[in-house]
Amino acid sequence: MEGVVAYIEDEGGEIKLTFDDVSCRDGENPSTWNKEFLFTSASFDRDAISSLSLSKEQFAEIGENLIIRLLALNGKIQ
């Protein structure tokens, strides 16, 4: 199985959102995932992201990146 892990890091006045590609060798017991590659990262103003004040376009871009990557990793993009 292939997937994406998202995590944040505090970088002073910004929050860095990172998506990494991960894989799981045991599809029957998906409790252990291994990092494969960095997919993408973006930094956002700490106050804006913490108060959920990003624009609709920014939130849409985050979600779009996640869905596109999951589909690509699993061979589902046509």
Side-chain angles (χ1 to χ4, degrees), residues 22-36:
V22 294
S23 64
C24 178
R25 304 288 179 239
D26 185 358
E28 306 235 345
N29 183 19
S31 61
T32 301
W33 293 82
N34 299 305
K35 179 179 176 179
E36 300 294 333

Side-chain angles (χ1 to χ4, degrees), residues 36-48:
E36 300 294 333
F37 302 101
L38 165 69
F39 167 52
T40 191
S41 64
S43 294
F44 300 93
D45 177 78
R46 181 192 310 169
D47 293 336

Side-chain angles (χ1 to χ4, degrees), residues 30-67:
S31 61
T32 301
W33 293 82
N34 299 305
K35 179 179 176 179
E36 300 294 333
F37 302 101
L38 165 69
F39 167 52
T40 191
S41 64
S43 294
F44 300 93
D45 177 78
R46 181 192 310 169
D47 293 336
I49 199 166
S50 295
S51 65
L52 302 176
S53 297
L54 297 179
S55 69
K56 289 185 183 230
E57 290 80 14
Q58 288 172 305
F59 280 120
E61 184 177 351
I62 292 167
E64 182 178 70
N65 277 314
L66 176 60
I67 296 301

Side-chain angles (χ1 to χ4, degrees), residues 6-23:
Y7 58 94
I8 59 172
E9 298 174 273
D10 193 336
E11 295 186 323
E14 295 186 323
I15 297 287
K16 181 178 178 182
L17 172 64
T18 301
F19 290 149
D20 287 334
D21 293 349
V22 294
S23 64

